[in-house]
Amino acid sequence: MGAVDAVRGAVTLLIDKLVHLVTAPKRLVVVIQRAIHDVRTGERTPLDVATSVFMTALGVAMLLVLLFPLYWITAASFAEGTRLFNTSGIFPDPATYNLDAYRWVIFESDFFFVDGDWGYPRLLIGGGAGLLPLRVEWIGTDTGPGALFNSLYLVSVTIVAGFAMIVPGAYAFSRRSFIARKRILYGYVLFTQIGAGLSIATLVALYSLFSTYGLTNNLFVLGLFYAAGAIPFNTWLLKTYMDNIPVSYEEAAMVDGASFLQTIREVIIPLTKPGLAVILIFVWLAGWNEFIIAQTLLSPENYPLSVELYNLATEGRFQTPWTRFAAFANLFALPVAIVYFLAQRSVESGLSFGGMEG
């Protein structure tokens, strides 16, 4: 039901956005008519209207500046050849737009499958490594899955391991009193920032540690490392959100006979959904975007999309295939955009950390 509700909410949000876009000219006419009426009746001065127009134009200009890189890289992905520029300006000629770059990413690059050799998975029982006697066999391909599957695996491990620590940790810091609680919480975040400042030393020490114990080229271990890096800040963030949930809600549930776990599952988690949506985005990005550590610790067959994107930009000695790079980058960013779109309403309310009504 959760997935169905998410899809239904996404469809509703998309319809609302489209309706809002279609009715924009009508709303603009209403705003202009209202401004004229206010000036004639003396409710607003011409200076007030001019100020509103100027601030609106400034906001639109800032929005266009922020969206310019997105427009440019999208236009470049449809360009002919491998160049971002043409002889007439910085934008490709629209008459030359084509899908060759996307065709290359899908059917020739390592984005979905190695060398674009597509196949499909088949789950087999027996012969699996680890605790579960399961293994996956790829049919129709001689090379196997590409960087997308490596990235999804990394992100899955990061999210599962991260949430397993973030949610109970945030609840403990928000609802429980214990010795040095605040010092541990602030030290938790401070330690992460210090580690980020010592990035080169951390990378050298990390590679030495992983090499010593034979943990290099291991997507599962790398996902756990990403989760560990995402836990401190996101625990603090979710704890801040949980602080806004009245304790009386939990007390009322327990008075009604709910157990501790039932209270967490039926009271705390539903009320924390906006905060969890924000955390989901941040933890997802922690495992999706990072490439320096992945490039250092992994072998080419386990490279995620972020490393493949970097390699695509640097593989040419004298020339970079910018159109292919742009198409690859757009498809690389697409899952993040989809996740944010599905959780947009929850993310917006979660980032506000507003108070709750009784």
Side-chain angles (χ1 to χ4, degrees):
M1 291 298 294
V4 174
D5 292 339
V7 173
R8 186 181 295 114
V11 172
T12 303
L13 180 61
L14 179 60
I15 294 175
D16 292 342
K17 294 292 185 182
L18 292 176
V19 172
H20 189 76
L21 180 63
V22 171
T23 57
K26 180 180 179 181
R27 293 196 309 274
L28 178 61
V29 172
V30 172
V31 170
I32 295 175
Q33 292 175 343
R34 185 177 301 170
I36 296 174
H37 176 270
D38 291 344
V39 171
R40 289 178 175 176
T41 58
E43 296 182 12
R44 300 171 65 186
T45 64
L47 180 60
D48 293 335
V49 176
T51 301
S52 299
V53 172
F54 173 76
M55 296 303 296
T56 301
L58 182 62
V60 172
M62 293 179 61
L63 179 63
L64 293 177
V65 170
L66 293 175
L67 291 179
F68 174 76
L70 179 61
Y71 167 75
W72 193 14
I73 196 170
T74 302
S77 68
F78 293 116
E80 185 178 32
T82 60
R83 296 178 300 174
L84 287 179
F85 308 96
N86 59 24
T87 56
S88 60
I90 64 173
F91 298 105
D93 184 4
T96 64
Y97 282 179
N98 59 79
L99 298 175
D100 289 346
Y102 289 96
R103 190 177 298 110
W104 177 85
V105 171
I106 296 173
F107 297 109
E108 297 183 35
S109 74
D110 295 340
F111 192 98
F112 291 100
F113 289 87
V114 177
D115 297 329
D117 186 16
W118 278 70
Y120 61 92
R122 182 172 65 180
L123 186 64
L124 301 177
I125 301 177
L131 298 177
L132 297 177
L134 302 175
R135 62 187 179 93
V136 176
E137 182 180 80
W138 291 91
I139 307 299
T141 175
D142 297 328
T143 53
L148 175 63
F149 294 91
N150 296 334
S151 290
L152 292 176
Y153 181 82
L154 267 176
V155 167
S156 300
V157 174
T158 303
I159 291 176
V160 172
F163 269 67
M165 296 295 295
I166 291 171
V167 176
Y171 181 83
F173 281 119
S174 177
R175 290 295 193 262
R176 296 290 181 262
S177 297
F178 48 87
I179 299 176
R181 180 174 68 95
K182 289 186 177 180
R183 295 180 180 178
I184 294 175
L185 178 61
Y186 294 134
Y188 215 31
V189 180
L190 180 62
F191 180 78
T192 304
Q193 301 307 314
I194 293 176
L198 300 175
S199 55
I200 300 300
T202 302
L203 183 60
V204 173
L206 183 67
Y207 182 80
S208 177
L209 180 65
F210 278 36
S211 297
T212 301
Y213 291 97
L215 299 177
T216 57
N217 198 31
N218 190 314
L219 289 172
F220 180 79
V221 174
L222 184 59
L224 294 180
F225 175 78
Y226 288 159
I231 286 171
F233 173 77
N234 289 291
T235 299
W236 173 80
L237 194 64
L238 188 60
K239 178 262 181 190
T240 304
Y241 190 87
M242 285 185 177
D243 288 342
N244 292 318
I245 301 177
V247 180
S248 58
Y249 289 8
E250 297 176 68
E251 295 174 346
M254 292 182 179
V255 169
D256 290 339
S259 64
F260 173 74
L261 293 179
Q262 287 177 325
T263 302
I264 297 296
R265 185 176 65 253
E266 299 177 8
V267 177
I268 298 299
I269 297 300
L271 293 177
T272 318
K273 280 185 178 180
L276 293 175
V278 176
I279 301 304
L280 174 64
I281 298 296
F282 288 162
V283 176
W284 176 288
L285 293 177
W288 188 262
N289 287 341
E290 200 281 329
F291 81 94
I292 296 178
I293 297 176
Q295 185 186 41
T296 304
L297 297 179
L298 297 177
S299 298
E301 69 273 8
N302 283 330
Y303 278 167
L305 288 174
S306 56
V307 179
E308 292 290 349
L309 182 63
Y310 171 78
N311 290 340
L312 181 61
T314 58
E315 67 177 3
R317 185 176 181 182
F318 302 106
Q319 184 180 16
T320 298
W322 288 115
T323 54
R324 294 178 177 181
F325 175 86
F328 199 108
N330 280 339
L331 293 180
F332 171 67
L334 184 61
V336 179
I338 293 175
V339 171
Y340 178 81
F341 183 80
L342 292 176
Q344 181 179 359
R345 290 180 175 176
S346 297
V347 169
E348 290 174 351
S349 60
L351 287 173
S352 66
F353 293 109
M356 301 187 62
E357 297 181 359

